Each structure stands twice: as C-alpha cells, then as structure tokens.
Amino acid sequence: MSYIIGSKCIGTKDGACILACPVDCIHEGEESMYIDPETCIDCGACVPECPVDAIFDSEEDAIEAGELEAVKNNYKFFGLKYEE
C-alpha cells in the first residue's frame, strides 16, 4: 500500500512533501501532488510536512475518509489502473 494525497491538496500544492521524500516518489500534477504507488516506501516522511494534512497513511484510510476519487486519480496520474 502507498501513501495517498487527498483532495485537500488541490489548489495548495505546497511542495514541502516533495522535499521530504527520500525516494522522490511525489510528483506535481496540474491540480495536486501525487505519490507513485510503485515507488513509495511507506516511510511517512511526507506526512508531517503537509501544511493541509492531505496525506493518508494508506489507500484504505483515504477511501474510508471519502477520498476514493483521489486514490483513482493518483493511480491514473502514473498511468496505472486502480483495482477496487
């Protein structure tokens, strides 16, 4: 499982999470930041850096918080298909 950046990031895109990531798995999209699920090592370094608390510890946590669309968009950004 990968960390997921939720909808609170849309329009904010602070970028501190990118600087905190030791494996460069966070990328800037047009509206939001996205975490590459194939590269993320689940270290959590990005979480305390997010000024809007948009980062979820897992896809499951994001979905439980009503962020299924964010999970799907994250996978889509990297050209991957999310399997429900």
Side-chain angles (χ1 to χ4, degrees), residues 1-79:
M1 290 265 182
S2 171
Y3 279 66
I4 293 289
I5 298 176
S7 60
K8 288 182 180 179
C9 183
I10 295 173
T12 301
K13 296 191 328 182
D14 176 71
C17 57
I18 291 174
L19 298 174
C21 181
V23 294
D24 297 324
C25 70
I26 304 175
H27 302 274
E28 184 174 355
E30 197 168 311
E31 294 184 343
S32 180
M33 303 297 189
Y34 298 95
I35 297 176
D36 186 339
E38 294 183 336
T39 308
C40 180
I41 60 172
D42 300 326
C43 70
C46 57
V47 176
E49 300 304 318
C50 181
V52 293
D53 296 322
I55 303 174
F56 293 92
D57 292 344
S58 69
E59 296 162 9
E60 288 178 352
D61 286 349
I63 292 168
E64 288 177 14
E67 294 279 355
L68 177 59
E69 200 61 34
V71 173
K72 289 180 179 179
N73 287 339
N74 191 78
Y75 274 76
K76 184 179 177 182
F77 181 81
F78 294 102

